[in-house]
Amino acid sequence: MNHNHMGRTLPTLAPGPRGAFAAPVTTIAKSRKNSTACTSCKAAKRKCSGRPAPCKACQTSKVACVFDESLDLRRKVAVRRTQGELQHYKGLLTSLFNKIRDADEADTYEILEAIRCNEFEDIATAVEGLELPSTEETSSDSSSSSEGSESEEAEDDSEFPKELSDPEKTMRLTIERLCDTPLYQVPSSWTYCDADDFVVSHLVSLYFTWDHPFSQILDQDSFLIDMGDPRFCTPLLVSSILAVAATYSDYPKICAIRGIDFTRGQNFFEEAERLWKAERGRPTLANIQAVTLMSRFLQFQGQRQASWLMLKQAVQLAKDIGLFHSPRRHWGSDMPVKTRHVYAVAAWGLYIMNSEMSFERGRAPDLEPPWCNPDTAYAYDKGFMWSAYPRFKEDDFQDLPAQLGATFNRTILLAKIAVKIQEFLFIESWGMSKSEIEATANDLMNQLQLVIEGLPASEAEQRELPHVLLVQ
């Protein structure tokens, strides 16, 4: 030991770490097991790196990378889907058996014709989504037996979207759906929504049966016969009609979200909104009719303010093309009579709807009557027959003359009187005396009574028509 350093002061050392020395821990991520391979890797029988697409193998080979969850039978969702499909086909076979056993010869013939004209898979796809009363007991047994297993697997399946609580309800079928023949055949090429020819024809038939006679905004003959004419029929107008008609349909497939009735026709309305946005406010007859029907759909949905704003757009478009102004700018003497009729129907139909919605909002309408004579709107009658739709037996209802012209005539008269009542209630009555108010009110009531009693005796047999009853 060297004693020469005994008198020196040694430097202070930095304190060492307290406790045991903790070395940094490196976490090694475990490899995630892929339970689903893409279709390309399955076909090539190679290992797939899994999601997100594209996988490494597909990215290297530059091929399409698609993951199909339905091919993975290890997932509980796929198992439940398979169970629902089996119940779906079981319900179809049970319904066919019961209907054929209990039906008479005429109904049995219709059932067999429907089976002969379609493949089994096509029938099942076409009629998917309707209830089968005959299969309620069988489906309730299977659903009750599966309640326990589904409750045990609820925690494991939290990452997947839940299936409907009663999937059998939306998968049951009815033979009536097979025998349902729409009144009008319209191809599905008129809409970009997920709907086949039957659904589009079904909705168009519902519209001209239960909505058009009550609120005429377009000419039925021009729409159905001259569908190739862009003046009278456009994808925007068709989508608007389908949205309104969907509110009358009980097919679950019509709902944008299956099982939620409030979404009926929402997909068609959203398509109409997209097409209307692409039009950039272009004033045409078809656009006026489409926007008016979009307003009607919003009214059915209970969105009154949105419906009112949409209707004001239609009114402004109609003013832009001269439906409520002097005809000198847009209307020439060389215009065909039928074309004048179509424009007159749109003008007076919009006038009637504006009057109704103004009355609901407690104000007088700020729209003058159309310049065209009302005779131009309802005199061009093609003699359409009204038939209750849907119906499943030919003798359920008797076909009757639709009386569209006569109904439209009385609706116009009622609308004119309604406008006078609105002006009286919301404007004129504030400056009247009590006697003047009573006299004006009695005069308006007498005018209403004359319109109601104006139905000729020769048309008494037509009073069972729903739209005629509404006018009365």
Side-chain angles (χ1 to χ4, degrees):
M1 181 175 181
N2 190 355
H3 296 279
N4 296 329
H5 302 287
M6 294 297 294
R8 297 182 181 182
T9 302
L10 298 177
T12 304
L13 297 176
R18 296 182 179 180
F21 176 76
V25 179
T26 303
T27 303
I28 301 177
K30 296 182 179 180
S31 59
R32 182 172 58 88
K33 184 178 180 181
N34 297 320
S35 60
T36 306
C38 66
T39 55
S40 300
C41 291
K42 281 182 178 289
K45 296 182 178 180
R46 64 193 177 198
K47 187 175 181 180
C48 182
S49 60
R51 296 177 180 237
C55 65
K56 295 180 180 180
C58 293
Q59 187 174 12
T60 303
S61 56
K62 297 182 180 180
V63 296
C65 185
V66 179
F67 289 87
D68 189 357
E69 293 287 348
S70 63
L71 299 178
D72 185 10
L73 298 181
R74 289 174 291 182
R75 291 182 180 271
K76 297 182 180 67
V77 174
V79 174
R80 286 201 299 270
R81 186 189 303 112
T82 303
Q83 181 183 2
E85 291 176 355
L86 292 175
Q87 186 64 34
H88 164 67
Y89 292 116
K90 180 181 178 182
L92 174 63
L93 293 176
T94 303
S95 176
L96 288 174
F97 175 80
N98 293 337
K99 290 293 183 178
I100 294 175
R101 180 186 59 186
D102 301 332
D104 54 18
E105 294 184 1
D107 294 337
T108 303
Y109 176 78
E110 292 182 357
I111 296 171
L112 294 177
E113 283 297 315
I115 296 175
R116 292 191 185 103
C117 297
N118 298 276
E119 296 292 336
F120 182 79
E121 294 292 336
D122 295 337
I123 294 176
T125 302
V127 299
E128 181 180 2
L130 297 181
E131 287 191 62
L132 272 180
S134 60
T135 61
E136 288 182 354
E137 298 180 359
T138 58
S139 61
S140 60
D141 295 338
S142 61
S143 60
S144 60
S145 62
S146 61
E147 286 180 356
S149 60
E150 289 183 357
S151 60
E152 295 176 357
E153 299 168 358
E155 296 182 358
D156 298 335
D157 297 334
S158 58
E159 58 178 325
F160 303 107
K162 289 186 176 181
E163 299 287 331
L164 292 175
S165 59
D166 186 12
E168 294 85 359
K169 182 177 180 181
T170 58
M171 289 185 177
R172 295 175 192 150
L173 312 172
T174 56
I175 297 304
E176 286 79 1
R177 167 65 172 78
L178 293 174
C179 303
D180 185 357
T181 303
L183 302 178
Y184 309 104
Q185 302 299 323
V186 181
S188 59
S189 57
W190 280 102
T191 178
Y192 298 101
C193 296
D194 183 16
D196 54 19
D197 292 349
F198 172 82
V199 172
V200 175
S201 301
H202 165 73
L203 293 178
V204 171
S205 300
L206 283 177
Y207 171 76
F208 284 109
T209 302
W210 300 110
D211 192 85
H212 172 69
F214 300 89
S215 180
Q216 300 182 42
I217 193 65
L218 53 86
D219 179 64
Q220 182 173 346
D221 180 61
S222 300
F223 178 83
L224 294 174
I225 297 178
D226 301 329
M227 292 193 72
D229 193 336
R231 296 176 302 169
F232 305 139
C233 184
T234 62
L236 170 58
L237 179 57
V238 174
S239 297
S240 303
I241 291 175
L242 298 180
V244 173
T247 59
Y248 297 94
S249 177
D250 59 352
Y251 288 173
K253 191 176 181 180
I254 301 301
C255 299
I257 303 176
R258 177 166 291 185
I260 302 180
D261 292 340
F262 183 76
T263 63
R264 291 184 183 275
Q266 190 66 37
N267 50 347
F268 298 110
F269 179 77
E270 291 175 356
E271 176 64 17
E273 279 189 318
R274 184 187 67 82
L275 294 174
W276 171 233
K277 185 177 180 180
E279 287 290 323
R280 299 181 180 274
R282 189 164 59 97
T284 64
L285 174 65
N287 287 349
I288 294 171
Q289 296 167 333
V291 175
T292 305
L293 291 173
M294 291 168 65
S295 171
R296 188 166 177 80
F297 174 80
L298 292 173
Q299 187 180 25
F300 289 165
Q301 295 289 312
Q303 303 180 38
R304 294 187 176 182
Q305 182 63 22
S307 174
W308 173 255
L309 295 177
M310 187 69 71
L311 182 67
K312 301 311 289 184
Q313 293 185 53
V315 171
Q316 185 58 50
L317 293 175
K319 291 180 178 180
D320 292 343
I321 66 172
L323 292 183
F324 294 96
H325 296 291
S326 173
R328 290 178 295 178
R329 179 180 176 184
H330 297 278
W331 303 77
S333 58
D334 56 342
M335 179 178 290
V337 177
K338 182 178 180 181
T339 304
R340 282 180 170 269
H341 159 73
V342 174
Y343 278 87
V345 169
W348 282 103
L350 185 57
Y351 176 79
I352 294 171
M353 189 170 179
N354 182 76
S355 171
E356 294 173 351
M357 295 189 66
S358 298
F359 217 146
E360 292 178 0
R361 299 177 67 85
R363 64 177 64 182
D366 55 351
L367 184 64
E368 295 294 330
W371 60 265
C372 57
N373 194 311
D375 295 341
T376 310
Y378 57 77
Y380 196 86
D381 196 345
K382 296 291 292 185
F384 282 101
M385 302 296 290
W386 186 89
S387 175
Y389 174 81
R391 62 178 180 178
F392 311 111
K393 293 183 179 180
E394 293 297 331
D395 55 349
D396 282 348
F397 300 95
Q398 180 183 0
D399 292 350
L400 298 172
Q403 298 292 326
L404 295 179
T407 304
F408 199 37
N409 175 24
R410 290 176 181 83
T411 306
I412 292 175
L413 295 177
L414 290 175
K416 289 182 176 180
I417 299 175
V419 170
K420 294 180 181 179
I421 294 175
Q422 291 168 262
E423 294 175 347
F424 165 68
L425 292 176
F426 307 126
I427 299 177
E428 298 173 355
S429 60
W430 295 98
M432 290 183 176
S433 62
K434 182 177 179 180
S435 58
E436 292 175 337
I437 292 176
E438 292 179 353
T440 304
N442 291 332
D443 180 61
L444 293 174
M445 288 299 298
N446 292 333
Q447 294 182 37
L448 283 175
Q449 192 66 27
L450 291 176
V451 174
I452 294 174
E453 296 176 353
L455 186 65
S458 60
E459 299 178 4
E461 68 275 6
Q462 309 301 336
R463 295 186 180 185
E464 59 185 272
L465 293 172
H467 45 281
V468 175
L469 293 174
L470 178 65
V471 173
Q472 296 177 349

